């Protein structure tokens, strides 16, 4: 079974600064997907960024980027120029590529509560 | 982008009653839907996976007779909490996959409070 570990229950960052959230995972699969989801106080799950394991290039989405280290099974999220709206719970998630056609069954980490301080 | 509608957003019920939560994919056909449960300040725990037209697959420890899942069409899955008890109080979230897009879309969740 896959496991996802987020070792930082809470973090804070000053507005406009950069913060990195860590995530490690354990799997015996070679092909899989990794995700970062944001859950603001509204509790709506919002996809932040997605990475395919077979791609060496780190995914980026505007101010969000990842550092994907496949050998180390590490998948950290960097948020640049932090904004007040980034305040939320952030969940790292894993999905193997063989869950079945179209079946993206996610395993979530416990989450990191990020607070952006004005 | 794709939208998943979940209804109701909040429900309060008496102990012993049943509650039905709906999850609809509004602009795509969802071949697979997932139901999660989230306790306060905790992560999402997968309860079950449902595929249209077949029985749901429940995760270990989830009572299938208590949490009835129906996925009768490609746009609708329902979760019915039968004979609800206070310990069933939680936040329930659905998600849907089209099978043609490598993305998963989440509903806005349902807060269930059982008195």
């Amino acid at each position: 079974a896959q496991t996802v570990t987020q070792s930082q229950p809470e973090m804070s960052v000053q507005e406009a600064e950069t913060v990195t959230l860590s995530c490690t995972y354990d799997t015996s699969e070679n092909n899989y997907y990794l995700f970062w989801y944001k859950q603001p106080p509204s509790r709506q799950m919002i996809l932040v960024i997605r990475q395919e394991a077979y791609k060496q290039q780190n995914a980026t989405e505007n101010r969000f980027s990842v550092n994907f280290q496949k050998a180390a099974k590490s998948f950290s999220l960097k948020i640049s120029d932090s904004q007040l709206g980034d305040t939320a719970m952030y969940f790292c998630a894993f999905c193997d590529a063989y869950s079945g056609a179209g079946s993206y069954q996610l395993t979530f980490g416990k989450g990191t509560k990020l607070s952006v301080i004005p | 982008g794709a939208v998943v509608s979940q209804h109701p957003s909040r429900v309060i019920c008496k102990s012993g009653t049943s509650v039905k939560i709906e999850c609809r994919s509004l602009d795509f056909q969802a071949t697979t839907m997932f139901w999660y449960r989230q306790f306060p300040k905790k992560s999402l725990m997968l309860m079950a996976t449902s595929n249209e037209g077949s029985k749901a697959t429940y995760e270990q420890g989830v009572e299938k007779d208590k949490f009835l899942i129906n996925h009768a069409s490609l746009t609708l899955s329902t979760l019915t909490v039968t004979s609800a008890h206070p310990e069933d109080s939680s936040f329930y979230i659905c998600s849907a996959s089209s099978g043609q897009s490598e993305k998963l879309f989440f509903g806005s969740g349902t807060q269930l409070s059982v008195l």
Side-chain angles (χ1 to χ4, degrees):
Chain A
Q2 292 85 4
T3 58
V4 178
T5 302
Q6 293 178 251
S7 59
Q8 306 151 315
E10 293 191 37
M11 292 193 72
S12 61
V13 62
Q14 290 288 139
E15 196 175 4
E17 296 295 309
T18 296
V19 65
T20 299
L21 309 183
S22 65
C23 172
T24 58
Y25 57 95
D26 188 25
T27 183
S28 57
E29 302 291 341
N30 188 53
N31 197 14
Y32 48 87
Y33 301 96
L34 294 163
F35 307 82
W36 278 99
Y37 280 92
K38 169 185 177 181
Q39 189 180 41
S42 68
R43 305 186 80 172
Q44 173 73 56
M45 294 291 285
I46 301 167
L47 177 64
V48 175
I49 202 164
R50 172 177 169 274
Q51 174 85 41
E52 292 101 332
Y54 63 87
K55 289 186 177 180
Q56 292 186 337
Q57 186 173 7
N58 290 323
T60 62
E61 284 289 340
N62 300 314
R63 299 183 293 109
F64 300 88
S65 61
V66 297
N67 182 4
F68 173 47
Q69 301 290 328
K70 191 173 183 179
K73 296 180 182 175
S74 171
F75 183 60
S76 62
L77 174 70
K78 185 171 82 170
I79 305 174
S80 304
D81 185 25
S82 297
Q83 300 176 0
L84 297 178
D86 295 333
T87 293
M89 281 290 290
Y90 286 81
F91 293 99
C92 179
F94 171 99
C95 170
D96 73 64
Y98 303 106
S99 295
S103 173
Y104 294 95
Q105 190 177 87
L106 298 177
T107 300
F108 287 91
K110 291 186 176 182
T112 296
K113 183 179 180 182
L114 176 67
S115 299
V116 180
I117 302 167
Chain B
V3 177
V4 173
S5 173
Q6 186 173 342
H7 179 80
S9 58
R10 180 179 294 272
V11 58
I12 301 172
C13 69
K14 292 183 178 180
S15 185
T17 61
S18 295
V19 174
K20 180 184 283 187
I21 302 170
E22 292 188 348
C23 182
R24 293 181 183 272
S25 57
L26 298 184
D27 54 0
F28 68 99
Q29 293 184 328
T31 52
T32 305
M33 288 188 172
F34 303 90
W35 288 95
Y36 294 86
R37 184 172 181 176
Q38 186 179 28
F39 290 105
K41 299 183 180 180
K42 299 292 184 183
S43 188
L44 281 72
M45 300 297 294
L46 181 66
M47 298 176 65
T49 302
S50 73
N51 291 293
E52 184 267 339
S54 61
K55 290 184 178 181
T57 301
Y58 290 82
E59 295 300 300
Q60 191 173 7
V62 178
E63 299 176 59
K64 61 180 180 180
D65 294 331
K66 180 164 190 62
F67 298 100
L68 301 180
I69 291 172
N70 183 280
H71 193 164
S73 77
L74 285 171
T75 59
L76 175 64
S77 177
T78 60
L79 167 66
T80 301
V81 183
T82 62
S83 186
H85 291 283
E87 56 265 30
D88 298 326
S89 297
S90 189
F91 190 66
Y92 294 87
I93 308 176
C94 71
S95 65
S97 167
S98 69
Q100 296 181 1
S101 170
E102 294 174 333
K103 290 185 178 180
L104 201 59
F105 303 97
F106 283 85
S108 53
T110 298
Q111 179 64 51
L112 171 63
S113 300
V114 184
L115 305 178

